[in-house]
Amino acid sequence: MSVERTLHHFPLDPASRQVRLALGEKRLPFAETHVRWWEQPDDFIALNPSGVPPVLVEETSKGRLAVCETRAILEHIEEQNPEPPLLGRDPAERAEARRLLQWFDRKFDAEVSAFLLHEKMEKRLLGYGAPDLANLRQGREALRHHLRYIEHLLAERDWLAGRRISLADMAAAAHISVIDYFGDVPWNDVPVARTWYMKIKSRPCFRPLLVDRWPGMAPAPHYHDLDF
Amino acid sequence: MSVERTLHHFPLDPASRQVRLALGEKRLPFAETHVRWWEQPDDFIALNPSGVPPVLVEETSKGRLAVCETRAILEHIEEQNPEPPLLGRDPAERAEARRLLQWFDRKFDAEVSAFLLHEKMEKRLLGYGAPDLANLRQGREALRHHLRYIEHLLAERDWLAGRRISLADMAAAAHISVIDYFGDVPWNDVPVARTWYMKIKSRPCFRPLLVDRWPGMAPAPHYHDLDF
């Protein structure tokens, strides 16, 4: 059955980026609409009452399905398009990939993105003024802990959840890539994490993310560079 | 294959309660260990590096699997024990149940529990002093919005995600039940939500939650009452 997909997303939103990477890795084509979520557009709220991107709309001969909220979208994509598997094949692999998904979506988000992206991106989008330096410091310090945790995982693994690339890598890379857009990742201090990020950054699914730009917010000079 | 389950949880934690309800609804027996997560016990951190309950440990003849983080546990239980289905059977039902799971775990948690449970429970556990009245007011106001959203959904549905009970009901009831323990749900103002809660509160899976008590924190008088 042919499926026409449209992803409603915001280019610099880590959650949206996870879905773009997953769709890209599965080689599933999709149309795109950019959502200015901070303006709470009526048509988007009608699609997702929580007002948060991304939303994946699928149209088939049977009808139209709007899948809202990141985890719902990722699980849906995986169930409907099992190959290549992005959650692993056995229960232990799946549990580990999902554990790390929640790690990045809750812990990393609360400890790193809530500070760095709030100060550098959301305040600009919302017109809230200059970044607070204490918050930036706190976010950068937490980022170092998370990068060290990534290096700890990679000491015994090829990818974050095990031997194969998974949604855990996509979640981590999606979050980190937005921080990297703003130039805040201390790559020189974390060579193992850097090698992992170079690997995922070089995959075809990542290419669309590297050309993302948003008016008034220029990326760090190395942002699109595969040999950063 | 016989599975021996142990759930590491905290009785008044909404995330832990979701898993207890799901295991109960599937009639899967499990042993319990209470986690004093706020003390960050070493043995629990070794089990789940994020330090957050619940963790489900399964032992079989093949070995031992520790599944960490709520969503990972819920999806694991569903995959390993598909009957009765708690995520619905078709993609649209599953998308809707998962959308609402994320609604309660992120939006309700951030807007309601982060205020009410922080002030009434976490501050006591952590020895942080008396509740802040402005925060309580803000949490109660947000709770009213969420209860109205539940009534909006139930205007056309038997259960939150559709015709059958699902993990969405368990997530909502788990969150609300802890607020109810502290007596903060304005049941008289939301008769439709109240009827829904009476239905789920009467199910066998709910019974263990109604006898939960934590030292120094007595439940509201109606908490265990099925005709509240």
Side-chain angles (χ1 to χ4, degrees):
Chain A
M1 186 164 60
S2 97
V3 183
E4 283 207 16
R5 294 179 189 81
T6 304
L7 185 67
H8 299 256
H9 76 97
F10 176 63
L12 300 184
D13 168 41
S16 297
R17 286 185 159 210
Q18 290 181 49
V19 174
R20 292 163 73 197
L21 290 175
L23 289 168
E25 196 69 21
K26 299 266 189 188
R27 296 172 197 272
L28 299 170
F30 60 98
E32 299 176 58
T33 304
H34 289 175
V35 181
R36 301 171 70 91
W37 52 267
W38 59 96
E39 296 173 357
Q40 304 196 299
D42 287 342
D43 54 348
F44 187 67
I45 303 284
L47 206 54
N48 183 10
S50 82
V52 177
V55 172
L56 179 66
V57 176
E58 294 189 341
E59 303 212 47
T60 66
S61 53
K62 282 187 178 170
R64 183 172 172 278
L65 174 62
V67 189
C68 301
E69 308 296 333
T70 329
R71 286 296 292 276
I73 299 172
L74 295 174
E75 297 280 353
H76 173 81
I77 293 172
E78 192 65 19
E79 284 174 356
Q80 297 299 306
N81 313 274
E83 296 297 331
L86 292 181
L87 272 174
R89 293 189 194 269
D90 71 43
E93 286 177 341
R94 295 170 78 80
E96 180 64 355
R98 286 183 176 128
R99 174 181 81 81
L100 290 168
L101 265 181
Q102 205 150 331
W103 178 284
F104 287 100
D105 280 344
R106 195 187 51 213
K107 197 170 166 64
F108 188 99
D109 192 69
E111 297 172 0
V112 182
S113 307
F115 291 92
L116 293 182
L117 295 188
H118 177 70
E119 295 298 333
K120 292 211 160 177
M121 181 172 72
E122 288 175 15
K123 276 189 170 177
R124 276 195 240 180
L125 295 173
L126 295 160
Y128 278 1
D132 177 276
L133 294 182
N135 279 349
L136 289 180
R137 232 180 348 257
Q138 187 168 343
R140 287 185 186 128
E141 185 55 34
L143 174 61
R144 282 180 185 275
H145 286 287
H146 281 275
L147 291 168
R148 272 184 227 121
Y149 184 58
I150 285 175
E151 297 213 310
H152 165 75
L153 293 171
L154 293 170
E156 296 185 345
R157 300 172 176 185
D158 297 326
W159 295 96
L160 293 186
R163 269 179 304 169
R164 273 184 291 250
I165 195 168
S166 77
L167 291 179
D169 300 283
M170 274 150 225
H175 280 279
I176 290 169
S177 68
V178 186
I179 310 278
D180 195 42
Y181 183 97
F182 292 101
D184 276 313
V185 185
W187 289 120
N188 288 336
D189 302 344
V190 284
V192 176
R194 180 187 193 141
T195 302
W196 161 82
Y197 191 65
M198 284 174 85
K199 273 201 302 181
I200 195 164
K201 195 175 178 179
S202 305
R203 292 175 88 90
C205 68
F206 220 94
R207 269 180 223 149
L209 278 61
L210 299 180
V211 295
D212 280 339
R213 299 290 180 271
W214 196 259
M217 293 192 269
H222 70 274
Y223 171 70
H224 67 279
D225 192 350
L226 296 181
D227 298 304
F228 52 103
Chain B
M1 186 164 61
S2 95
V3 183
E4 284 207 15
R5 293 179 190 81
T6 304
L7 185 67
H8 300 257
H9 76 96
F10 176 63
L12 300 184
D13 167 41
S16 297
R17 287 186 158 208
Q18 289 181 51
V19 173
R20 291 163 73 198
L21 291 175
L23 288 168
E25 196 68 23
K26 299 264 189 190
R27 297 172 196 273
L28 299 170
F30 59 98
E32 298 178 58
T33 303
H34 288 176
V35 181
R36 303 171 71 89
W37 52 267
W38 60 97
E39 295 173 358
Q40 303 196 302
D42 287 343
D43 54 348
F44 187 67
I45 303 284
L47 206 54
N48 184 9
S50 82
V52 177
V55 172
L56 178 67
V57 176
E58 293 189 342
E59 304 213 46
T60 66
S61 54
K62 282 187 180 172
R64 183 171 172 278
L65 173 63
V67 189
C68 302
E69 308 295 335
T70 329
R71 286 296 293 275
I73 299 172
L74 295 174
E75 297 280 353
H76 173 80
I77 292 172
E78 192 64 20
E79 283 174 356
Q80 298 297 307
N81 313 275
E83 295 298 329
L86 292 181
L87 271 175
R89 293 189 195 269
D90 71 42
E93 287 177 340
R94 296 170 78 80
E96 181 63 355
R98 287 184 176 127
R99 175 181 81 81
L100 290 168
L101 265 181
Q102 205 150 333
W103 178 284
F104 287 100
D105 280 344
R106 196 186 51 215
K107 197 170 166 65
F108 187 98
D109 192 70
E111 296 172 1
V112 182
S113 307
F115 291 92
L116 293 182
L117 297 188
H118 177 70
E119 295 298 333
K120 292 210 160 178
M121 180 171 73
E122 288 175 14
K123 276 189 170 176
R124 277 195 240 180
L125 295 173
L126 295 160
Y128 279 0
D132 177 276
L133 294 183
N135 279 349
L136 289 180
R137 229 178 353 253
Q138 187 167 342
R140 286 185 187 128
E141 185 55 35
L143 174 60
R144 284 181 184 273
H145 286 286
H146 281 275
L147 291 168
R148 271 183 228 122
Y149 184 57
I150 285 175
E151 297 213 309
H152 165 75
L153 292 172
L154 292 170
E156 297 184 346
R157 299 173 177 185
D158 297 326
W159 295 96
L160 293 186
R163 269 179 302 170
R164 273 184 290 250
I165 196 168
S166 77
L167 292 178
D169 299 284
M170 276 150 223
H175 280 278
I176 289 170
S177 67
V178 186
I179 310 278
D180 195 41
Y181 183 97
F182 292 101
D184 276 314
V185 185
W187 289 120
N188 289 335
D189 302 344
V190 285
V192 177
R194 181 186 192 142
T195 304
W196 160 81
Y197 190 66
M198 284 175 84
K199 274 201 303 181
I200 195 165
K201 196 174 176 179
S202 305
R203 292 175 88 91
C205 67
F206 220 94
R207 270 180 223 150
L209 278 59
L210 298 180
V211 294
D212 281 338
R213 300 290 180 270
W214 196 257
M217 291 192 269
H222 71 273
Y223 171 70
H224 66 279
D225 192 349
L226 295 182
D227 298 306
F228 52 102

